[in-house]
Amino acid sequence: MHKWRAGMVLVAFTLVPGVSFADSGSKLLATGGASTIEGAGGGGIVPWATLSSYADVGEWGATVNVSEVAVDDFRLSVQGASLSWNNRVEVSYARQTFDLSTIGGELEQNILGVKARLFGDLLYGNLPQVSVGLQHKSNQSFALPSAVGATEDSDTDYYLSAAKAWLDGPFHRTWVANVTARRTRANQIGLLGFGGDVDDSAEWVAEASVAAFINRYWAVGVEYRQKPDNLSFADEQDWRDVFVAYFPSKRVSIVGAYTDLGSIAGLDDQTGWYLSLQAAF
Amino acid sequence: MKALMLTAALLLTPLASAQSLYDQLGQKQGISAIVEEMLYRVGGDERIVHHFDGVDIMRVHQLITEQVCNVVGGPCEYSGESMRVSHEGMGVTHADFNALVEHLIVAMEKHEVPVAAQNQLLAKLAPMYDDIVE
Ligand code: HEM
């Protein structure tokens, strides 16, 4: 992980000599968003059209992040990092470990993501900021997913996101909304493999987030994420969360959430806590 | 969701002030001080200070003060050029614009302008983006 991060920063410097990480970037506080559990910049569970870090036009930025989700019978640990350039492109990586606390055992997955802003801007102009992205996921522990009917151990999700901020929204607060359409056949985001005995083809799912900034540093919001249901052995349900985000500076952000992951692998009502920490450079 | 909205409503309502935006910014005197603080900070910002080489900063201070006073409903006439004409050919980028906005926000925070008033002013200035940035 540390080796990899150092490598990325090194690549950034050697590819573009003379360009430095200007302070922590010129984008406004919080407009880099938080880090999602799949590594991309966004809310907690939904990738947003915004790009990670504060890298504005002509700047580079990077983030490293860790997240933990603890629900009744499972625990998800994520380590991730991202590199962004020019408020245009974001490359991200995440490693997920899913601890099957009650059932016993562990599932692992690696996700390489790329996201590009197509047009528009989160804050300025009439158009929303619109980005496209992909997430290439490789399940590292396919024995169990395969045993319960998953057909593939790796696959790629594609998504289109639109985000807009209302500087002076309801209650004279700044509000941000994001909608994402994702084409996927991942089971439990890929932790249970891809495709299945019920449905083996990719489908479009909808994801959305809304947040209100109480002031420059604190935001509260909700997220919703539709999911496929490809396996006959257990129902898969949509995910949702209610979160509080704190951006004390452009260097650090912290997100805490109460999350409802529905039924996972036959164990119902998986609710619990989510905590995510991000450092930006 | 409903409970959250209700809590948010209860939390936020008392924060919206009955005072006019112009008053919350401290009237003409307050606005002048905020713009001065902003320009002072711009002067120390190596990312954007080059745009102001050879510029009569006292004049720009007076004109931005007039303009802000005017857009927030104060008793002021703006006597300068349009935003498109005055920033033409300057090559102001998205990053430059954000840098100036950041200095304005810090200046407003220093002058203890309530968040609701800050947001109202920012929402009045943000639409000028398309005329200023190329
Ligand atoms: C919402 C944002 C902005 C507002 C409201 C604003 C407002 C103004 C006003 C009222 C003037 C005087 C116009 C005149 O000469 O008649 C002015 C001039 C100027 N502005 Fe801006 N401005 C903004 C953003 C920027 C940015 C981001 C930059 C560069 C970083 C910039 C650089 C300048 C310069 C260099 C002048 C002096 C032009 C000259 O006298 O030749 N402005 N601005």
Side-chain angles (χ1 to χ4, degrees), chain A residues 51 59 178 180 182 197 216:
Chain A
L51 306 185
E59 298 170 349
N178 181 90
T180 296
R182 181 197 299 253
D197 50 349
R216 307 265 149 245

Side-chain angles (χ1 to χ4, degrees), chain B residues 28-29 31-33 35-36 60-70 76:
Chain B
K28 183 130 194 199
Q29 200 186 346
I31 293 168
S32 173
V35 174
E36 183 180 331
V60 171
H61 172 258
Q62 193 202 321
L63 288 171
I64 298 183
T65 302
E66 280 177 13
Q67 188 193 36
V68 170
C69 172
N70 182 264
C76 308

Side-chain angles (χ1 to χ4, degrees), chain B residues 48 51-52 55 59-60 63-64 67 78 80-81 83 86-87 90 92 96-97 100 125 128 132:
Chain B
I48 53 173
H51 288 296
F52 294 83
V55 164
R59 182 178 155 275
V60 171
L63 288 171
I64 298 183
Q67 188 193 36
Y78 173 58
E81 295 284 355
M83 287 300 96
S86 57
H87 297 87
M90 240 183 238
V92 175
D96 296 341
F97 195 91
L100 186 129
L125 299 180
M128 298 174 185
I132 293 171

Side-chain angles (χ1 to χ4, degrees), chain B residues 15-88:
Chain B
L15 300 177
S17 169
Q19 268 193 318
S20 77
L21 179 53
Y22 175 66
D23 287 339
Q24 289 185 75
L25 290 167
Q27 305 190 333
K28 183 130 194 199
Q29 200 186 346
I31 293 168
S32 173
I34 290 165
V35 174
E36 183 180 331
E37 173 79 34
M38 176 187 85
L39 288 173
Y40 173 76
R41 302 183 64 90
V42 166
D45 186 341
E46 58 187 24
R47 292 171 298 178
I48 53 173
V49 69
H50 61 276
H51 288 296
F52 294 83
D53 284 349
V55 164
D56 179 352
I57 207 73
M58 301 306 281
R59 182 178 155 275
V60 171
H61 172 258
Q62 193 202 321
L63 288 171
I64 298 183
T65 302
E66 280 177 13
Q67 188 193 36
V68 170
C69 172
N70 182 264
V71 299
V72 301
C76 308
E77 282 300 317
Y78 173 58
S79 63
E81 295 284 355
S82 73
M83 287 300 96
R84 187 178 291 278
V85 168
S86 57
H87 297 87
E88 189 126 55

